Amino acid sequence: MASTDDRFHDSRTLINAVDVITDGAAFRTLFISLLCSFLIAAAFGFLAARFEMAGHGAVGTLTAVIGTLGMLFVGMVGYSATGFLINDRMRNRPQRSVGDALIVALATLPRVLGVLLMILAVAL
């Protein structure tokens, strides 16, 4: 059975997690990654549509696939970097810079993709 101190610590951790939402660097990182993902999708979608209208269906499809992969890559790295920034602040660790968080997010991207593939395999 948990003691009163443990319960207090758990509730304080939850309050800290809610307080972290106001972290400006994490919010900017999340917003910029979302904006960049949107711009990549829009640009490649426009190019794919132009290729399709010009009668180059295979090139249009390839352009759309490349744009989708680029959008997912930028989004996943940005969201992961935001998670690292929030985690540092919530655990009262020294705050990383946004650049350091992006580098760590790039380094851990293969692990994130592996976990997502395992979840997909279990779901299927």
Side-chain angles (χ1 to χ4, degrees), residues 7 18 31 43 54 61 63 69 71 75 77 90 121:
R7 289 181 187 158
V18 172
F31 181 75
T61 303
T63 304
L69 292 175
M71 177 193 69
V77 170
M90 189 178 88

Side-chain angles (χ1 to χ4, degrees), residues 37 40-41 44-45 61-75:
S37 294
I40 289 170
F44 277 88
T61 303
L62 182 63
T63 304
V65 168
I66 291 171
T68 302
L69 292 175
M71 177 193 69
L72 289 173
F73 175 78
V74 169

Side-chain angles (χ1 to χ4, degrees), residues 14 16 22-23 27 32-33 39 42 61 64 69-70 82 88 90 94-95 98-99 107-108 119:
L14 181 62
N16 285 343
T22 61
D23 187 2
F27 179 76
I32 289 172
S33 66
L39 291 175
T61 303
L69 292 175
T82 301
D88 286 345
M90 189 178 88
Q95 187 79 24
V98 174
T108 59
I119 291 171

Side-chain angles (χ1 to χ4, degrees), residues 33-93:
S33 66
L34 180 65
L35 181 65
C36 289
S37 294
F38 174 75
L39 291 175
I40 289 170
F44 277 88
F46 175 76
L47 287 174
R50 297 289 292 187
F51 283 128
E52 290 286 336
M53 288 190 313
H56 304 291
V59 176
T61 303
L62 182 63
T63 304
V65 168
I66 291 171
T68 302
L69 292 175
M71 177 193 69
L72 289 173
F73 175 78
V74 169
M76 288 180 73
V77 170
Y79 300 151
S80 183
T82 301
F84 285 119
L85 291 171
I86 289 173
N87 192 12
D88 286 345
R89 182 154 176 217
M90 189 178 88
R91 295 179 185 256
N92 293 323
R93 294 180 182 160

